[in-house]
């Protein structure tokens, strides 16, 4: 091959028979430079901690005598055996909170997307307004709102002679096994409510984005083609908002499944979620391998579920 | 559900539409004969699209009734009307295949043969080969045909076309004009075509309603509108017009009436002059003016511009009083004039139209006499 005679010193990849490359192939550094800070960030704050956690979970020993990396994976089995109820509960609570957020957030996002100009912006600011206060403070606020003695909801309702509404709601929760003793606060219901409240904006914003992009003329066209408003929603609005639904549910479900604040502040000893377990294993019991193993189990479970979910939703087919 | 035959008339009775800040459509009556190709023609903002949307049910009329045959459909919703629209933006559902788009209407109506009919209709618009593609994968012209197929597959009583060819380039537009006409005669549905393109309306429609400022200026077949426009607006909006300021100077003799324009005596066909009118515009189309003195009415002038377009030569001829007339000479072998040449222009009585001089001469914009 004559090419070889003029082959440039730069190692040219075998691209089949081609004309001699006269111009030296210049590697453009710009994209890599732009990527570098982000990559560095990920390596330092994501990859490194992940590896540390993985290594921690495979160590044996105790705090006093130190830990040795033995690579024994038994701890995963132990973790699963001891804490599967908390894991299942976490996924269930997060799932319910996600569905609630979707049910509450979809109409709200639709409403905001249908507004024009100023009122739209004001509504959007209201959606993100809670973020101006810390997550912890907001959750604690629900404590003082829902408490049975001196809680704001109970007091306000009582003030207008509707105290029985609060009490009856508590009884209803008890009947539905959503509260152990008729209390609204410190019940599974309160935990799910807190999760829903805290992650609702993460549902609304992506939903809003895809509903806002929805071309109103498509809805007109559907109506013109004999679709009732309900059918228009089912066949046009909903499928076209699926990308928003998928990202909204992921942004809600993933953090909710690992949350440990809501179950601690608004729940009781029977509402313990897996995040709470990991927290106490790490910071109180000081069983680092177990805590690390639980972290990894949770991660693996969520990744698996998300993978199946995204494949099922078939978002890659959507425009 | 074949339902009512697609030959029923569409009748609008005293229909009007007012928006908060303006009146889009003045109260008007309009009857569109069943099975015809009808065009609503006018400049943007003339109310043609609003009229269309009221028929589609996408806009509720402020006053008036809409009937299809014997049925009053005024109060029905868009999805209850057997009327379909081809939208200007096509509005194809991006998440569905072409076939699903076309079958959409039939499925909503619960037609069990929806898919078969959709395939047949794709055949009609020659798109069977792209049935499984998504709209975004198609060219503009193909999308346009999908939009058309999606509407006609339902065999509506009335098919509404809202500037359907507006987004296509000139060549494609010509093709689609012929295509639309063919499909209309094949399916026999009433087509109402909204457009601001006079040539498009004239090429395709059996009947044209020229709209201006929310009302119908004139209704008729293309030839009548062109040859006998009822207003300066129609005269100028449909093709080019030379409007000459003139007075009727006497009574009819042998079917012609004497008139005077800028001290030139001319004859006009008596039946073209509205009764009792003295101050008039005499309108002559550029292709009715001839170079030379073959015609009975003659005016002299000087050629200021000549452009050869192959089929014809287009001249601007300056009149002694400063106004320029446009003349189109067919490339039929007759001698051509050059710029600066003094020429005689002539035309025969009956080749003009006569309008009331109180009308604004530049309505619809055109060549006007100063």
């Amino acid at each position: 091959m004559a090419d070889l005679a003029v082959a440039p010193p730069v190692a040219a990849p075998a691209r089949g028979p081609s004309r001699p490359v006269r111009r030296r192939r210049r590697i453009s550094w710009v994209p890599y430079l732009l990527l570098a800070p982000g990559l560095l960030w990920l390596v330092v704050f994501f990859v490194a901690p992940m590896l540390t956690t993985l290594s921690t979970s495979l160590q044996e020993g105790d705090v006093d005598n130190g830990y040795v990396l033995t690579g024994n994976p038994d701890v995963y089995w132990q973790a699963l055996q001891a804490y599967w109820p908390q894991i299942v509960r976490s996924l269930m609570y997060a799932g319910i909170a996600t569905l609630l957020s979707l049910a509450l957030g979809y109409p709200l996002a639709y409403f905001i997307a249908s507004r024009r100009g100023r009122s739209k912006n004001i509504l959007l600011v209201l959606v993100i307004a809670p973020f101006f206060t810390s997550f912890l403070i907001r959750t604690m606020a629900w404590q003082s709102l829902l408490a049975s003695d001196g809680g704001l909801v109970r007091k306000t309702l009582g003030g207008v002679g509707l105290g029985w509404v609060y009490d009856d709601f508590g009884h209803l929760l008890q009947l539905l096994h959503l509260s152990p003793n008729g209390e609204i606060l410190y019940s599974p219901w309160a935990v799910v409510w807190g999760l829903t409240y805290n992650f609702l904006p993460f549902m609304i914003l992506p939903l809003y984005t895809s509903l806002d992009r929805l071309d109103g003329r498509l809805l007109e066209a559907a109506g013109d083609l004999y679709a009732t408003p309900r059918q228009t929603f089912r066949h046009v609005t909903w499928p076209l908002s699926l990308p928003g639904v998928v990202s909204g549910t992921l942004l809600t479900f993933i953090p909710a499944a690992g949350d440990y604040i809501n179950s601690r502040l608004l729940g009781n000893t029977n509402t313990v979620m897996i995040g709470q377990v990991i927290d106490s294993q790490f910071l109180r019991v000081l069983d680092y391998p177990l805590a690390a193993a639980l972290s990894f189990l949770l991660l693996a479970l969520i990744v698996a579920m998300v993978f199946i979910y995204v494949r099922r939703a078939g978002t890659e087919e959507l425009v | 559900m074949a339902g009512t035959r697609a030959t029923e008339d569409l009748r609008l009775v005293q229909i009007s539409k007012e928006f908060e800040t303006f009146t889009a459509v003045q109260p008007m009556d309009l009857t569109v004969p069943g099975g015809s190709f009808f065009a609503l023609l006018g400049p943007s903002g003339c109310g043609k699209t609003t009229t269309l949307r009221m028929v589609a049910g996408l806009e509720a009329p402020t006053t008036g009734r809409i009937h299809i045959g014997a049925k009053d459909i005024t109060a029905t919703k868009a999805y209850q009307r057997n009327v379909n629209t081809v939208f200007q933006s096509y509005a194809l559902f991006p998440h569905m295949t072409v076939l699903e788009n076309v079958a959409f209407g039939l499925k909503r109506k619960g037609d069990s043969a929806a898919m078969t009919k959709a395939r047949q209709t794709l055949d009609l618009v020659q798109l069977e080969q792209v049935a499984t593609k998504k709209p975004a994968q198609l060219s503009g012209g193909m999308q346009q045909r999908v939009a058309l197929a999606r509407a006609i597959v339902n065999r509506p009583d009335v098919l509404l076309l809202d500037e359907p060819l507006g987004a296509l380039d000139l060549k494609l537009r010509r093709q689609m004009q012929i295509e639309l006409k063919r499909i209309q005669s094949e399916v026999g549905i009433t087509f109402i075509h909204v457009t601001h393109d006079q040539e498009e309306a004239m090429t395709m429609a059996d009947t044209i309603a020229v709209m201006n400022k929310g009302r119908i200026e004139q209704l008729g077949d293309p030839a009548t509108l062109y040859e006998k426009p009822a207003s300066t607006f129609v005269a100028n909006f449909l093709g080019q017009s030379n409007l000459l300021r003139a007075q009727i100077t006497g009574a009819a003799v042998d079917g012609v009436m004497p008139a005077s324009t800028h001290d030139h005596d001319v004859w006009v066909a008596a039946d073209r002059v509205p009764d009792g009118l003295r101050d008039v515009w005499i309108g002559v189309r550029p292709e009715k003016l001839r170079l030379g003195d073959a015609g009975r009415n003659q005016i002299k002038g000087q050629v200021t511009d000549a452009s050869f377009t192959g089929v014809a030569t287009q001249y601007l001829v300056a009149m002694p009083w400063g106004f320029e007339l446009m003349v189109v000479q067919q490339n039929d072998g007759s001698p051509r004039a050059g710029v600066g040449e003094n020429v005689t222009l002539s035309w025969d009585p009956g080749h003009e139209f006569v309008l009331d001089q109180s009308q604004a001469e530049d309505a619809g914009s055109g060549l006007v006499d100063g």
Side-chain angles (χ1 to χ4, degrees):
Chain A
M1 288 221 302
D3 299 21
L4 290 177
V6 287
V10 187
R15 286 249 225 79
S18 63
R19 274 171 283 111
V21 185
R22 293 247 178 255
R23 234 167 1 115
R24 270 180 57 189
R25 273 188 55 226
R26 283 222 325 235
I27 299 166
S28 174
W29 288 102
V30 179
Y32 297 100
L33 280 174
L34 289 173
L35 275 176
L39 281 174
L40 195 68
W41 178 277
L42 278 177
V43 167
V44 173
F45 293 104
F46 181 72
V47 178
M50 288 291 278
L51 292 174
T52 324
T53 312
L54 184 64
S55 121
T56 308
S57 72
L58 298 173
Q59 291 173 3
E60 280 176 293
D62 57 53
V63 188
D64 300 325
N65 304 316
Y67 292 95
V68 190
L69 182 64
T70 57
N72 185 354
D74 282 355
V75 67
Y76 282 90
W77 181 238
Q78 289 160 16
L80 208 53
Q81 270 186 321
Y83 293 107
W84 69 265
Q86 282 83 353
I87 292 178
V88 170
R89 184 184 295 133
S90 297
L91 298 177
M92 199 172 71
Y93 282 5
I96 297 171
T98 304
L99 290 179
L100 275 175
S101 301
L102 184 62
L104 290 171
Y106 202 98
L108 203 61
Y110 194 96
F111 177 77
I112 297 172
S114 68
R115 295 295 99 186
R116 292 278 152 264
R118 201 179 172 77
S119 62
K120 184 184 245 175
N121 291 335
I122 292 172
L123 286 166
L124 278 175
V125 169
L126 285 179
V127 168
I128 56 165
F131 290 124
F132 290 110
T133 321
S134 121
F135 182 70
L136 197 60
I137 304 282
R138 278 183 282 137
T139 313
M140 286 169 79
W142 278 105
Q143 275 186 324
S144 54
L145 278 169
L146 292 178
S148 55
D149 50 339
L152 195 64
V153 175
R154 175 78 177 82
K155 262 204 288 192
T156 314
L157 285 173
V160 293
L162 290 171
W164 56 271
V165 173
Y166 180 92
D167 300 334
D168 279 7
F169 186 59
H171 294 316
L172 181 69
L173 290 181
Q174 191 175 9
L175 270 176
L176 298 171
H177 300 285
L178 292 175
S179 165
N181 50 9
E183 275 237 54
I184 292 179
L185 188 60
Y186 308 125
S187 68
W189 180 85
V191 176
V192 172
W193 178 251
L195 290 171
T196 309
Y197 160 79
N198 274 310
F199 297 109
L200 186 58
F202 297 106
M203 179 65 86
I204 292 175
L205 292 177
L207 280 177
Y208 161 78
T209 315
S210 47
L211 287 170
D212 194 47
R213 270 195 320 222
L214 190 67
D215 187 346
R217 292 173 295 193
L218 294 179
L219 307 184
E220 272 191 352
D224 187 69
L225 292 163
Y226 315 107
T228 60
R230 186 186 298 239
Q231 290 173 325
T232 301
F233 179 80
R234 198 177 134 214
H235 296 287
V236 182
T237 313
W238 175 258
L240 287 176
S241 65
L242 268 186
V245 173
V246 170
S247 43
T249 45
L250 290 180
L251 284 175
T252 310
F253 180 79
I254 296 171
D259 181 75
Y260 62 99
I261 299 288
N262 286 282
S263 58
R264 172 167 301 157
L265 295 182
L266 305 175
N268 56 42
T269 47
N270 291 319
T271 65
V272 174
M273 289 172 70
I274 194 64
Q276 234 175 313
V277 175
I278 296 170
D279 172 56
S280 67
Q281 289 296 331
F282 260 128
L283 302 178
R284 269 173 279 265
V285 184
L286 304 181
D287 189 344
Y288 298 138
L290 183 71
L294 279 173
S295 304
F296 249 85
L297 276 175
L298 182 64
L299 181 84
L301 268 174
I302 290 178
V303 168
M305 290 176 77
V306 165
F307 186 75
I308 294 167
Y309 174 61
V310 173
R311 286 291 289 273
R312 274 284 180 85
T315 37
E316 66 275 1
E317 279 207 20
L318 294 164
V319 208
Chain B
M1 195 177 98
T4 44
R5 272 323 318 139
T7 46
E8 294 196 275
D9 293 357
L10 169 75
R11 282 187 302 124
L12 309 183
V13 182
Q14 282 300 299
I15 200 131
S16 76
K17 180 68 186 179
E18 281 172 34
F19 291 107
E20 278 152 50
T21 49
F22 70 106
T23 303
V25 177
Q26 311 271 3
M28 69 172 181
D29 292 316
L30 180 64
T31 300
V32 178
S36 68
F37 200 128
F38 191 92
L40 280 173
L41 173 67
S44 56
C46 72
K48 57 190 192 298
T49 296
T50 308
T51 308
L52 194 82
R53 289 174 61 84
M54 287 193 285
V55 177
L58 300 171
E59 220 64 84
T62 311
T63 65
R65 316 297 302 172
I66 302 170
H67 302 269
I68 292 179
K71 276 181 299 178
D72 184 334
I73 60 162
T74 318
T76 56
K77 298 259 192 284
Y79 61 86
Q80 296 164 324
R81 294 186 187 187
N82 203 18
V83 170
N84 291 117
T85 311
V86 177
F87 292 89
Q88 186 171 13
S89 60
Y90 313 146
L92 299 175
F93 304 122
H95 57 298
M96 298 181 194
T97 64
V98 166
L99 188 66
E100 286 167 340
N101 262 284
V102 176
F104 188 89
L106 291 176
K107 280 192 174 168
R108 300 292 83 74
K109 290 203 285 190
D111 190 325
S112 55
M115 283 305 188
T116 318
K117 288 183 183 173
R119 262 179 233 283
Q120 286 165 356
T121 311
L122 277 179
D123 229 31
L124 181 71
V125 297
Q126 293 156 7
L127 280 181
E128 61 276 24
Q129 74 282 6
V130 297
T132 54
K133 292 207 168 149
K134 292 279 171 74
Q137 295 170 277
L138 306 185
S139 69
M142 284 171 145
Q143 291 186 18
Q144 209 282 331
R145 267 147 57 199
V146 176
L148 181 68
R150 190 178 68 168
I152 57 174
V153 71
N154 304 298
R155 291 293 183 272
D157 292 335
V158 180
L159 181 78
L160 306 172
L161 301 119
D162 184 7
E163 307 248 6
L165 310 179
L168 305 181
D169 63 53
L170 192 67
K171 202 174 156 202
L172 207 52
R173 202 149 66 211
R174 290 283 141 74
Q175 271 177 23
M176 281 307 298
Q177 286 174 3
I178 297 163
E179 188 89 333
L180 271 177
K181 191 76 187 143
R182 173 182 73 83
I183 290 168
Q184 196 264 341
S185 56
E186 238 163 86
V187 297
I189 298 170
T190 312
F191 274 36
I192 300 183
H193 183 130
V194 154
T195 181
H196 64 266
D197 183 336
Q198 47 100 8
E199 209 181 311
E200 190 173 300
M202 298 222 285
T203 313
M204 299 161 76
D206 308 322
T207 311
I208 300 175
V210 182
M211 287 190 73
N212 185 27
K213 293 181 183 151
R215 59 180 95 239
I216 293 178
E217 289 257 345
Q218 193 177 358
L219 183 89
D221 62 278
T224 308
L225 289 181
Y226 190 77
E227 303 292 354
K228 296 176 185 169
S231 66
T232 53
F233 177 84
V234 176
N236 291 325
F237 198 76
L238 270 83
Q240 304 275 8
S241 288
N242 298 303
L243 291 180
L244 297 167
R245 197 183 289 277
Q247 283 79 39
I248 303 293
T249 52
V253 183
D254 292 337
V256 291
M257 270 178 159
S260 162
T261 175
H262 298 278
D263 302 327
H264 290 68
D265 290 330
V266 294
W267 296 93
V268 295
D271 59 357
R272 295 252 166 149
V273 183
D275 281 343
L277 214 57
R278 259 192 58 79
D279 292 330
V280 295
W281 293 109
I282 295 178
V284 190
R285 298 287 186 186
E287 68 279 9
K288 297 275 170 60
L289 282 175
R290 272 174 282 167
L291 289 180
D293 51 10
R296 186 166 169 191
N297 297 319
Q298 299 181 356
I299 299 182
K300 286 184 164 44
Q302 191 179 31
V303 176
T304 56
D305 186 65
S307 41
F308 178 66
T309 60
V311 173
T313 311
Q314 192 170 306
Y315 300 98
L316 283 179
V317 181
M319 295 293 105
W321 61 92
F323 177 59
E324 285 182 328
L325 292 184
M326 183 182 277
V327 181
V328 172
Q329 180 193 32
Q330 289 303 311
N331 189 4
D332 55 2
S334 47
R336 289 201 279 270
V339 175
E341 205 172 306
N342 286 313
V343 292
T344 303
L345 300 181
S346 67
W347 76 95
D348 281 321
H351 283 175
E352 76 286 291
F353 51 87
V354 180
L355 297 168
D356 188 339
Q357 210 182 86
S358 64
Q359 294 181 31
E361 65 270 34
D362 58 350
S365 83
L367 294 174
V368 288
D369 191 358

